[in-house]
Amino acid sequence: MSLIVQKYGGTSVGTPERIRNVAKRILETQQAGNQVVAVVSAMAGVTNNLIGLADAVTGEGQATEREMDVLLATGEQTTIALTAMALNAMGSKAVSLTGAQAGIETDGFHTKARISNISPAGVHELLDDGNIVILAGFQGKTPDGKITTLGRGGSDLTAIAMAAAIDADLCQILTDVDGVYTCDPRVVPEAKKLDEISYDELLEMASSGTKVMQSRSVEFAKKFGVPFEVRSSLNNNPGTLVKEETMSMESVVIRGVSLERDQAKVTITGVEDHPGTAGKIFGAVAETNLLVDMIVQNVSKTGITDISFTVHKDDVVKAEAALKPILPELGENATMEATDGIAKLSVVGIGMRSHSGVAAEMFAALSKAGVNIEMISTSEIKITVTVSEDQIDAAAKAAHEAFGLSEA
Ligand code: ASP
Ligand code: MG
């Protein structure tokens, strides 16, 4: 007998009919001779609606965080009851548990709490009594009993953390796609589903636009060595196995291509080249909690240089507001300029560590496709460029093709 943790996202439980289908799948998994813990998200749209209600009562973003968590936790609480009821109606023994009831303890950072401890004895007892356990994703409680939530998409984290805590044999993230693809199939129809991918590759793809799972949960899985499978809740096709890298995985140079639209570039020109200027710029931006991505600075021949960085286009106004007051401190003639309409293209693969010439190959492919590269940045396993947003699809296709990703 195996112990399996399954996680069903909001779309998979989005309607009563879908909840019944999920219940059927969970039951089949148990009937195949397994113990099952099923983590469920709020029904699609519910969390957003709850946030809208809070905003309507208090003004946008004004709700007290403690009460926000009490409110948001109700989304998952609805789904666990409905799923357990559906299973009971099918004649199966199932019980629902909130995060707190399942022994999930967190720190006190409301709306983005971190799991600090799980005491799964109660879960084991219920399983050993023949129950299916339906567990609310995305939530826990503090040691003094306050309800907390784990950040958007946090049901993934619940599943991974519970799988680690109960030492599950298998953790499956069931979603509305068949797995992790070499690229977004809406952009590159030849994109292929990957059989396997390493934690690091998935993290890099997630941070550069491939939205499959909450990144924190992948980090957690990496830290505690929890392999998991991303697969569809709508069919029985094998999914993508996410795991620690193995030697054989290094023979593939590029695992996938990610793209991210709606980016903007902020450039500060006339920056004096002496210690402390970059610190000032990014200190000011960090104070506004903005996510800054690619940072490019040129060497200065004259003691004056330019610094550029990218942000989401919706954050440009905030970035400009943060930088305007410190411009005079950066240089006598420092100016600032922002342009949107750019997108990021990344190629990701752990094989890059042991293969040379990957950047050259990527740039050659883009040049052949007539795509102009604006900014470039690299990590050990990723190369990212920015291009004009209207060329991003062509750029993705060219990179995908150049690295032979559509070949089986
Ligand atoms: N319901 C939460 C959200 O929408 C958690 C989750 O879906 O994983 O962010
Ligand atoms: Mg969700």
Side-chain angles (χ1 to χ4, degrees), residues 333-352:
N333 299 311
T335 58
M336 174 172 58
E337 185 190 350
T339 32
D340 58 11
I342 67 172
K344 285 189 302 189
L345 176 78
S346 306
V347 297
V348 174
I350 52 172
M352 244 184 247

mmCIF file with all atom_site columns, all heavy atoms in Angstrom, residues 333-352:
data_model
loop_
_atom_site.group_PDB
_atom_site.id
_atom_site.type_symbol
_atom_site.label_atom_id
_atom_site.label_alt_id
_atom_site.label_comp_id
_atom_site.label_asym_id
_atom_site.label_entity_id
_atom_site.label_seq_id
_atom_site.pdbx_PDB_ins_code
_atom_site.Cartn_x
_atom_site.Cartn_y
_atom_site.Cartn_z
_atom_site.occupancy
_atom_site.B_iso_or_equiv
_atom_site.pdbx_formal_charge
_atom_site.auth_seq_id
_atom_site.auth_comp_id
_atom_site.auth_asym_id
_atom_site.auth_atom_id
_atom_site.pdbx_PDB_model_num
ATOM 1   N N   . ASN A 1 333 ? 24.067 65.508 -13.974 1.00 0.00 ? 333 ASN A N   1
ATOM 2   C CA  . ASN A 1 333 ? 23.131 65.539 -15.104 1.00 0.00 ? 333 ASN A CA  1
ATOM 3   C C   . ASN A 1 333 ? 22.345 64.243 -15.230 1.00 0.00 ? 333 ASN A C   1
ATOM 4   O O   . ASN A 1 333 ? 21.977 63.831 -16.329 1.00 0.00 ? 333 ASN A O   1
ATOM 5   C CB  . ASN A 1 333 ? 23.901 65.791 -16.405 1.00 0.00 ? 333 ASN A CB  1
ATOM 6   C CG  . ASN A 1 333 ? 24.621 67.124 -16.368 1.00 0.00 ? 333 ASN A CG  1
ATOM 7   O OD1 . ASN A 1 333 ? 24.018 68.142 -16.029 1.00 0.00 ? 333 ASN A OD1 1
ATOM 8   N ND2 . ASN A 1 333 ? 25.921 67.103 -16.663 1.00 0.00 ? 333 ASN A ND2 1
ATOM 9   N N   . ALA A 1 334 ? 22.106 63.577 -14.110 1.00 0.00 ? 334 ALA A N   1
ATOM 10  C CA  . ALA A 1 334 ? 21.404 62.286 -14.182 1.00 0.00 ? 334 ALA A CA  1
ATOM 11  C C   . ALA A 1 334 ? 19.969 62.482 -14.663 1.00 0.00 ? 334 ALA A C   1
ATOM 12  O O   . ALA A 1 334 ? 19.270 63.396 -14.217 1.00 0.00 ? 334 ALA A O   1
ATOM 13  C CB  . ALA A 1 334 ? 21.410 61.617 -12.810 1.00 0.00 ? 334 ALA A CB  1
ATOM 14  N N   . THR A 1 335 ? 19.550 61.636 -15.599 1.00 0.00 ? 335 THR A N   1
ATOM 15  C CA  . THR A 1 335 ? 18.160 61.662 -16.065 1.00 0.00 ? 335 THR A CA  1
ATOM 16  C C   . THR A 1 335 ? 17.613 60.246 -16.051 1.00 0.00 ? 335 THR A C   1
ATOM 17  O O   . THR A 1 335 ? 18.369 59.272 -15.987 1.00 0.00 ? 335 THR A O   1
ATOM 18  C CB  . THR A 1 335 ? 18.036 62.195 -17.509 1.00 0.00 ? 335 THR A CB  1
ATOM 19  O OG1 . THR A 1 335 ? 18.838 61.355 -18.346 1.00 0.00 ? 335 THR A OG1 1
ATOM 20  C CG2 . THR A 1 335 ? 18.484 63.636 -17.605 1.00 0.00 ? 335 THR A CG2 1
ATOM 21  N N   . MET A 1 336 ? 16.294 60.172 -16.147 1.00 0.00 ? 336 MET A N   1
ATOM 22  C CA  . MET A 1 336 ? 15.650 58.854 -16.060 1.00 0.00 ? 336 MET A CA  1
ATOM 23  C C   . MET A 1 336 ? 14.666 58.737 -17.211 1.00 0.00 ? 336 MET A C   1
ATOM 24  O O   . MET A 1 336 ? 13.998 59.709 -17.581 1.00 0.00 ? 336 MET A O   1
ATOM 25  C CB  . MET A 1 336 ? 14.926 58.799 -14.715 1.00 0.00 ? 336 MET A CB  1
ATOM 26  C CG  . MET A 1 336 ? 14.094 57.584 -14.504 1.00 0.00 ? 336 MET A CG  1
ATOM 27  S SD  . MET A 1 336 ? 13.513 57.554 -12.790 1.00 0.00 ? 336 MET A SD  1
ATOM 28  C CE  . MET A 1 336 ? 12.622 59.070 -12.645 1.00 0.00 ? 336 MET A CE  1
ATOM 29  N N   . GLU A 1 337 ? 14.566 57.511 -17.751 1.00 0.00 ? 337 GLU A N   1
ATOM 30  C CA  . GLU A 1 337 ? 13.663 57.302 -18.875 1.00 0.00 ? 337 GLU A CA  1
ATOM 31  C C   . GLU A 1 337 ? 13.081 55.896 -18.741 1.00 0.00 ? 337 GLU A C   1
ATOM 32  O O   . GLU A 1 337 ? 13.797 54.962 -18.378 1.00 0.00 ? 337 GLU A O   1
ATOM 33  C CB  . GLU A 1 337 ? 14.481 57.408 -20.166 1.00 0.00 ? 337 GLU A CB  1
ATOM 34  C CG  . GLU A 1 337 ? 13.689 57.346 -21.425 1.00 0.00 ? 337 GLU A CG  1
ATOM 35  C CD  . GLU A 1 337 ? 14.626 57.203 -22.648 1.00 0.00 ? 337 GLU A CD  1
ATOM 36  O OE1 . GLU A 1 337 ? 15.863 57.348 -22.474 1.00 0.00 ? 337 GLU A OE1 1
ATOM 37  O OE2 . GLU A 1 337 ? 14.121 56.913 -23.715 1.00 0.00 ? 337 GLU A OE2 1
ATOM 38  N N   . ALA A 1 338 ? 11.792 55.739 -19.027 1.00 0.00 ? 338 ALA A N   1
ATOM 39  C CA  . ALA A 1 338 ? 11.184 54.402 -18.965 1.00 0.00 ? 338 ALA A CA  1
ATOM 40  C C   . ALA A 1 338 ? 10.521 54.082 -20.293 1.00 0.00 ? 338 ALA A C   1
ATOM 41  O O   . ALA A 1 338 ? 9.884  54.937 -20.897 1.00 0.00 ? 338 ALA A O   1
ATOM 42  C CB  . ALA A 1 338 ? 10.156 54.344 -17.838 1.00 0.00 ? 338 ALA A CB  1
ATOM 43  N N   . THR A 1 339 ? 10.729 52.845 -20.754 1.00 0.00 ? 339 THR A N   1
ATOM 44  C CA  . THR A 1 339 ? 10.030 52.403 -21.968 1.00 0.00 ? 339 THR A CA  1
ATOM 45  C C   . THR A 1 339 ? 9.340  51.084 -21.688 1.00 0.00 ? 339 THR A C   1
ATOM 46  O O   . THR A 1 339 ? 9.939  50.195 -21.066 1.00 0.00 ? 339 THR A O   1
ATOM 47  C CB  . THR A 1 339 ? 10.999 52.147 -23.143 1.00 0.00 ? 339 THR A CB  1
ATOM 48  O OG1 . THR A 1 339 ? 12.245 51.686 -22.608 1.00 0.00 ? 339 THR A OG1 1
ATOM 49  C CG2 . THR A 1 339 ? 11.218 53.375 -23.973 1.00 0.00 ? 339 THR A CG2 1
ATOM 50  N N   . ASP A 1 340 ? 8.099  50.962 -22.128 1.00 0.00 ? 340 ASP A N   1
ATOM 51  C CA  . ASP A 1 340 ? 7.460  49.643 -21.999 1.00 0.00 ? 340 ASP A CA  1
ATOM 52  C C   . ASP A 1 340 ? 7.390  48.995 -23.379 1.00 0.00 ? 340 ASP A C   1
ATOM 53  O O   . ASP A 1 340 ? 8.132  49.369 -24.276 1.00 0.00 ? 340 ASP A O   1
ATOM 54  C CB  . ASP A 1 340 ? 6.116  49.733 -21.271 1.00 0.00 ? 340 ASP A CB  1
ATOM 55  C CG  . ASP A 1 340 ? 5.140  50.658 -21.965 1.00 0.00 ? 340 ASP A CG  1
ATOM 56  O OD1 . ASP A 1 340 ? 5.428  51.072 -23.109 1.00 0.00 ? 340 ASP A OD1 1
ATOM 57  O OD2 . ASP A 1 340 ? 4.104  50.955 -21.362 1.00 0.00 ? 340 ASP A OD2 1
ATOM 58  N N   . GLY A 1 341 ? 6.534  47.989 -23.520 1.00 0.00 ? 341 GLY A N   1
ATOM 59  C CA  . GLY A 1 341 ? 6.488  47.306 -24.807 1.00 0.00 ? 341 GLY A CA  1
ATOM 60  C C   . GLY A 1 341 ? 7.658  46.358 -25.000 1.00 0.00 ? 341 GLY A C   1
ATOM 61  O O   . GLY A 1 341 ? 8.038  46.043 -26.120 1.00 0.00 ? 341 GLY A O   1
ATOM 62  N N   . ILE A 1 342 ? 8.236  45.897 -23.893 1.00 0.00 ? 342 ILE A N   1
ATOM 63  C CA  . ILE A 1 342 ? 9.299  44.909 -24.056 1.00 0.00 ? 342 ILE A CA  1
ATOM 64  C C   . ILE A 1 342 ? 8.906  43.588 -23.367 1.00 0.00 ? 342 ILE A C   1
ATOM 65  O O   . ILE A 1 342 ? 8.005  43.557 -22.527 1.00 0.00 ? 342 ILE A O   1
ATOM 66  C CB  . ILE A 1 342 ? 10.668 45.400 -23.535 1.00 0.00 ? 342 ILE A CB  1
ATOM 67  C CG1 . ILE A 1 342 ? 10.663 45.570 -22.028 1.00 0.00 ? 342 ILE A CG1 1
ATOM 68  C CG2 . ILE A 1 342 ? 11.085 46.673 -24.210 1.00 0.00 ? 342 ILE A CG2 1
ATOM 69  C CD1 . ILE A 1 342 ? 12.059 45.868 -21.496 1.00 0.00 ? 342 ILE A CD1 1
ATOM 70  N N   . ALA A 1 343 ? 9.564  42.528 -23.754 1.00 0.00 ? 343 ALA A N   1
ATOM 71  C CA  . ALA A 1 343 ? 9.279  41.203 -23.191 1.00 0.00 ? 343 ALA A CA  1
ATOM 72  C C   . ALA A 1 343 ? 10.598 40.488 -22.959 1.00 0.00 ? 343 ALA A C   1
ATOM 73  O O   . ALA A 1 343 ? 11.615 40.833 -23.559 1.00 0.00 ? 343 ALA A O   1
ATOM 74  C CB  . ALA A 1 343 ? 8.404  40.412 -24.157 1.00 0.00 ? 343 ALA A CB  1
ATOM 75  N N   . LYS A 1 344 ? 10.548 39.502 -22.059 1.00 0.00 ? 344 LYS A N   1
ATOM 76  C CA  . LYS A 1 344 ? 11.766 38.747 -21.753 1.00 0.00 ? 344 LYS A CA  1
ATOM 77  C C   . LYS A 1 344 ? 11.673 37.338 -22.321 1.00 0.00 ? 344 LYS A C   1
ATOM 78  O O   . LYS A 1 344 ? 10.627 36.695 -22.242 1.00 0.00 ? 344 LYS A O   1
ATOM 79  C CB  . LYS A 1 344 ? 11.926 38.622 -20.230 1.00 0.00 ? 344 LYS A CB  1
ATOM 80  C CG  . LYS A 1 344 ? 12.392 39.885 -19.569 1.00 0.00 ? 344 LYS A CG  1
ATOM 81  C CD  . LYS A 1 344 ? 12.737 39.655 -18.114 1.00 0.00 ? 344 LYS A CD  1
ATOM 82  C CE  . LYS A 1 344 ? 11.571 39.108 -17.334 1.00 0.00 ? 344 LYS A CE  1
ATOM 83  N NZ  . LYS A 1 344 ? 11.791 39.068 -15.893 1.00 0.00 ? 344 LYS A NZ  1
ATOM 84  N N   . LEU A 1 345 ? 12.765 36.879 -22.861 1.00 0.00 ? 345 LEU A N   1
ATOM 85  C CA  . LEU A 1 345 ? 12.843 35.512 -23.361 1.00 0.00 ? 345 LEU A CA  1
ATOM 86  C C   . LEU A 1 345 ? 13.997 34.820 -22.635 1.00 0.00 ? 345 LEU A C   1
ATOM 87  O O   . LEU A 1 345 ? 15.107 35.352 -22.586 1.00 0.00 ? 345 LEU A O   1
ATOM 88  C CB  . LEU A 1 345 ? 13.129 35.517 -24.864 1.00 0.00 ? 345 LEU A CB  1
ATOM 89  C CG  . LEU A 1 345 ? 13.317 34.145 -25.483 1.00 0.00 ? 345 LEU A CG  1
ATOM 90  C CD1 . LEU A 1 345 ? 11.970 33.476 -25.694 1.00 0.00 ? 345 LEU A CD1 1
ATOM 91  C CD2 . LEU A 1 345 ? 14.059 34.243 -26.809 1.00 0.00 ? 345 LEU A CD2 1
ATOM 92  N N   . SER A 1 346 ? 13.740 33.652 -22.060 1.00 0.00 ? 346 SER A N   1
ATOM 93  C CA  . SER A 1 346 ? 14.791 32.933 -21.350 1.00 0.00 ? 346 SER A CA  1
ATOM 94  C C   . SER A 1 346 ? 14.907 31.513 -21.876 1.00 0.00 ? 346 SER A C   1
ATOM 95  O O   . SER A 1 346 ? 13.896 30.875 -22.172 1.00 0.00 ? 346 SER A O   1
ATOM 96  C CB  . SER A 1 346 ? 14.481 32.848 -19.852 1.00 0.00 ? 346 SER A CB  1
ATOM 97  O OG  . SER A 1 346 ? 14.241 34.121 -19.311 1.00 0.00 ? 346 SER A OG  1
ATOM 98  N N   . VAL A 1 347 ? 16.138 31.028 -21.956 1.00 0.00 ? 347 VAL A N   1
ATOM 99  C CA  . VAL A 1 347 ? 16.343 29.593 -22.177 1.00 0.00 ? 347 VAL A CA  1
ATOM 100 C C   . VAL A 1 347 ? 16.976 29.043 -20.901 1.00 0.00 ? 347 VAL A C   1
ATOM 101 O O   . VAL A 1 347 ? 17.843 29.675 -20.308 1.00 0.00 ? 347 VAL A O   1
ATOM 102 C CB  . VAL A 1 347 ? 17.211 29.285 -23.422 1.00 0.00 ? 347 VAL A CB  1
ATOM 103 C CG1 . VAL A 1 347 ? 16.530 29.775 -24.680 1.00 0.00 ? 347 VAL A CG1 1
ATOM 104 C CG2 . VAL A 1 347 ? 18.608 29.871 -23.308 1.00 0.00 ? 347 VAL A CG2 1
ATOM 105 N N   . VAL A 1 348 ? 16.485 27.873 -20.486 1.00 0.00 ? 348 VAL A N   1
ATOM 106 C CA  . VAL A 1 348 ? 16.864 27.319 -19.188 1.00 0.00 ? 348 VAL A CA  1
ATOM 107 C C   . VAL A 1 348 ? 17.320 25.881 -19.343 1.00 0.00 ? 348 VAL A C   1
ATOM 108 O O   . VAL A 1 348 ? 16.676 25.097 -20.060 1.00 0.00 ? 348 VAL A O   1
ATOM 109 C CB  . VAL A 1 348 ? 15.646 27.353 -18.224 1.00 0.00 ? 348 VAL A CB  1
ATOM 110 C CG1 . VAL A 1 348 ? 15.971 26.641 -16.914 1.00 0.00 ? 348 VAL A CG1 1
ATOM 111 C CG2 . VAL A 1 348 ? 15.198 28.785 -17.959 1.00 0.00 ? 348 VAL A CG2 1
ATOM 112 N N   . GLY A 1 349 ? 18.416 25.517 -18.690 1.00 0.00 ? 349 GLY A N   1
ATOM 113 C CA  . GLY A 1 349 ? 18.820 24.113 -18.695 1.00 0.00 ? 349 GLY A CA  1
ATOM 114 C C   . GLY A 1 349 ? 20.067 23.894 -17.862 1.00 0.00 ? 349 GLY A C   1
ATOM 115 O O   . GLY A 1 349 ? 21.013 24.681 -17.955 1.00 0.00 ? 349 GLY A O   1
ATOM 116 N N   . ILE A 1 350 ? 20.073 22.846 -17.030 1.00 0.00 ? 350 ILE A N   1
ATOM 117 C CA  . ILE A 1 350 ? 21.259 22.597 -16.214 1.00 0.00 ? 350 ILE A CA  1
ATOM 118 C C   . ILE A 1 350 ? 22.435 22.127 -17.077 1.00 0.00 ? 350 ILE A C   1
ATOM 119 O O   . ILE A 1 350 ? 23.578 22.215 -16.665 1.00 0.00 ? 350 ILE A O   1
ATOM 120 C CB  . ILE A 1 350 ? 20.997 21.554 -15.091 1.00 0.00 ? 350 ILE A CB  1
ATOM 121 C CG1 . ILE A 1 350 ? 20.390 20.289 -15.656 1.00 0.00 ? 350 ILE A CG1 1
ATOM 122 C CG2 . ILE A 1 350 ? 20.142 22.125 -14.001 1.00 0.00 ? 350 ILE A CG2 1
ATOM 123 C CD1 . ILE A 1 350 ? 20.297 19.164 -14.635 1.00 0.00 ? 350 ILE A CD1 1
ATOM 124 N N   . GLY A 1 351 ? 22.139 21.666 -18.280 1.00 0.00 ? 351 GLY A N   1
ATOM 125 C CA  . GLY A 1 351 ? 23.201 21.217 -19.183 1.00 0.00 ? 351 GLY A CA  1
ATOM 126 C C   . GLY A 1 351 ? 24.126 22.350 -19.605 1.00 0.00 ? 351 GLY A C   1
ATOM 127 O O   . GLY A 1 351 ? 25.243 22.127 -20.074 1.00 0.00 ? 351 GLY A O   1
ATOM 128 N N   . MET A 1 352 ? 23.640 23.597 -19.424 1.00 0.00 ? 352 MET A N   1
ATOM 129 C CA  . MET A 1 352 ? 24.450 24.763 -19.767 1.00 0.00 ? 352 MET A CA  1
ATOM 130 C C   . MET A 1 352 ? 25.765 24.795 -19.007 1.00 0.00 ? 352 MET A C   1
ATOM 131 O O   . MET A 1 352 ? 26.746 25.361 -19.457 1.00 0.00 ? 352 MET A O   1
ATOM 132 C CB  . MET A 1 352 ? 23.659 26.007 -19.367 1.00 0.00 ? 352 MET A CB  1
ATOM 133 C CG  . MET A 1 352 ? 23.271 26.882 -20.494 1.00 0.00 ? 352 MET A CG  1
ATOM 134 S SD  . MET A 1 352 ? 22.466 28.330 -19.803 1.00 0.00 ? 352 MET A SD  1
ATOM 135 C CE  . MET A 1 352 ? 20.825 28.086 -20.391 1.00 0.00 ? 352 MET A CE  1
#
